[in-house]
Amino acid sequence: MALRRIVRAVAQRDVVLSLAGGGGWLQGIVFYAVFVAFMAFAFGPGEDALRRAAAPTIWLATLFAIQLAASEMFIEDIQDGSLQTLAVEQTSLLGYVIGKLAGVLIIVGGPLIVAAPIVSIMFAVGATNLAILLPSVAMGALALSLAACVASAINAALQGGGRFTAILAAPLSIPVLIFGIDATSLAIESSQIWSVEMQFLTAMTLFLMAIVPGFSVLALRLGLE
Amino acid sequence: MKSICSDKVSLQCDEVACARGGVMVVGGVSFAVGGGEAMLIFGANGAGKSSLLGAIAGRIPLMEGTLNWAVNDDVLPQRQFASNIAMLSHDGAIKTGLSVEQNLLFWCRIYNKPRTDLASIVERVKISGLEHRRAGTLSAGQMRRLSFARILLADRPVWLLDEPTASIDDGGRADISALIGGHISDGGLAIVATHEALDVPHRSLRIG
């Protein structure tokens, strides 16, 4: 199918590009690791305090790492004429946006999941709770990438060069953050995976999945004129 | 290679005007071209060549006038017709971080062409031997040839080319002219914004 072919082509190109381009894929995960390590020192050695801080720290680190990587996800394709060419030649821009999203999830989301065990050790969460904590964080990474994607597309249309992505994404990422942190805290404290908060987080993620690709395409089209 | 131009494509422009940033840059343009023809748009810097080409490509909205694409005399809306267009813009749509081959492979997937097409195309634009070079290390002229490879790969009847010979030497200009000549003798249509003459049978449109 044409859409699937384009999604694959774009995602594959972006992954190869980030691996080839002097470690671009490391940017998000290095930031994540540094942020988490500093927070652990900031909260000191008390195990209780660390455990309470675990969920907010993981979430903020994930949010910032994704925003760092995604804030300019469309700029380069606009600057080198790739997006213009795809649009003029009537390639499915929906496929393009989904491909870009998949690229971000692989390049940033993948390493974040790998880093989670290290975080759980630093924050005294314990290995048994790790499996419980992962679903909410993975869901959150998806939701936050979606929020960053539409903000980045609007920002590219305004020719803002990535400066306003964090502000534009805020109305979408704040509710995700609130329910996400609660869901992860509950998972750590009481081993509850499918809590009400997690259900809400899932609902928000599904909502974003439904609206973000379409709105991103719209914004990009406006920006190309 | 089978002919991509078995259907007759044509474009009719009437009193077209377009604006950039609210200022009219080109106006009152009328012409008609069809398959088997090349039209060169001449004009000084800033005359609006790229804007006109952008309007023809459907990227820049028209301020006035009409622009009709047709296949076998059936007028089609721009969005429906656009899958017949291959566009070479100012920026060549090249990823400098990828190799020549990786760049072309991406477009192979987009256009749904087999990668076996690549070898002959690389040869036709005369960049063979450079397949594994990072595109960022190519000279400006080689980059332009690489972007032209994408036009051949797209294998579409309508070529919209914006300064295809920018930063290309005399030999390269002859090569590009020959490729455009080959395309129109196959029944294709080429509209080229350029500031220098190309050695192809063509019609001229002077603007500005």
Side-chain angles (χ1 to χ4, degrees), chain A residues 141-225:
Chain A
L142 178 56
L144 294 172
S145 302
L146 286 161
C149 171
V150 70
S152 169
I154 293 170
N155 185 48
L158 299 172
Q159 276 139 28
R163 283 188 291 274
F164 307 114
T165 309
I167 299 169
L168 288 168
L172 293 175
S173 32
I174 288 171
V176 172
L177 209 59
I178 292 171
F179 286 95
I181 290 175
D182 274 353
T184 306
S185 296
L186 274 170
I188 294 171
E189 298 298 328
S190 53
S191 299
Q192 241 189 304
I193 297 184
W194 197 238
S195 54
V196 177
E197 284 78 1
M198 180 64 182
Q199 288 170 28
F200 219 91
L201 178 63
T202 311
M204 275 189 294
T205 310
L206 289 174
F207 173 70
L208 288 173
M209 278 169 92
I211 63 159
V212 159
F215 274 109
S216 304
V217 170
L218 247 160
L220 290 174
R221 275 203 194 284
L222 282 174
L224 283 173
E225 276 178 9

Side-chain angles (χ1 to χ4, degrees), chain A residues 5-6 8-10 12-13 16-17 20 76-82 84-86 88-91 221 224-225, chain B residues 20 57 59 61 79 82-83 85-87 89 91-95 97-98 102 106-107 109-112 150 156:
Chain A
R5 193 183 74 239
I6 288 158
R8 246 192 70 188
V10 172
Q12 210 168 343
R13 181 201 63 177
V16 172
L17 202 54
E76 202 189 308
D77 284 344
I78 291 174
Q79 280 169 353
D80 68 19
S82 307
Q84 203 191 85
T85 303
L86 290 169
V88 162
E89 297 180 351
Q90 211 57 50
T91 314
R221 275 203 194 284
L224 283 173
E225 276 178 9
Chain B
R20 299 299 275 151
R59 193 172 62 78
R79 289 189 79 143
S83 55
I85 296 176
M87 169 98 188
S89 62
D91 327 291
I94 293 171
K95 291 283 169 215
L98 296 180
Q102 285 168 331
F106 168 68
W107 292 101
R109 295 192 190 104
I110 293 289
Y111 296 133
N112 204 15
R150 182 178 57 74
R156 292 178 172 184

Side-chain angles (χ1 to χ4, degrees), chain B residues 40-198:
Chain B
L40 305 193
I41 305 172
F42 292 103
N45 294 134
K49 300 190 293 289
S50 297
S51 302
L52 180 58
L53 209 60
I56 292 171
R59 193 172 62 78
I60 297 170
L62 300 183
M63 236 171 107
E64 291 165 18
T66 55
L67 198 152
N68 287 316
W69 288 105
V71 177
N72 297 328
D73 298 323
D74 291 331
V75 174
L76 291 180
Q78 181 87 30
R79 289 189 79 143
Q80 220 173 316
F81 183 82
S83 55
N84 292 303
I85 296 176
M87 169 98 188
L88 178 69
S89 62
H90 247 285
D91 327 291
I94 293 171
K95 291 283 169 215
T96 50
L98 296 180
S99 73
V100 168
E101 191 181 33
Q102 285 168 331
N103 266 291
L104 290 174
L105 272 176
F106 168 68
W107 292 101
C108 261
R109 295 192 190 104
I110 293 289
Y111 296 133
N112 204 15
K113 301 288 175 198
R115 60 185 297 172
T116 43
D117 285 6
L118 287 186
S120 70
I121 283 169
V122 161
E123 203 148 303
R124 281 168 76 196
V125 297
K126 302 196 175 158
I127 50 170
S128 8
L130 301 174
E131 288 91 335
H132 299 294
R133 278 267 293 277
R134 215 158 56 81
T137 67
L138 298 179
S139 76
Q142 287 169 330
M143 286 258 239
R144 209 62 190 146
R145 285 164 185 266
L146 172 56
S147 8
F148 211 90
R150 182 178 57 74
I151 302 298
L152 298 179
L153 186 63
D155 195 25
R156 292 178 172 184
V158 177
W159 286 4
L160 302 180
L161 313 174
D162 194 355
E163 300 284 2
T165 55
S167 42
I168 274 190
D169 56 21
D170 290 345
R173 196 153 63 237
D175 294 339
I176 302 266
S177 300
L179 289 169
I180 297 173
H183 180 62
I184 58 174
S185 61
D186 284 347
L189 165 62
I191 301 177
V192 188
T194 182
H195 63 270
E196 49 190 9
L198 296 175

Side-chain angles (χ1 to χ4, degrees), chain B residues 13-56:
Chain B
C13 270
D14 285 309
E15 294 296 319
V16 161
C18 52
R20 299 299 275 151
V23 182
M24 187 162 102
V25 286
V26 56
V29 177
S30 300
F31 64 87
V33 278
E37 288 183 301
M39 191 178 73
L40 305 193
I41 305 172
F42 292 103
N45 294 134
K49 300 190 293 289
S50 297
S51 302
L52 180 58
L53 209 60
I56 292 171

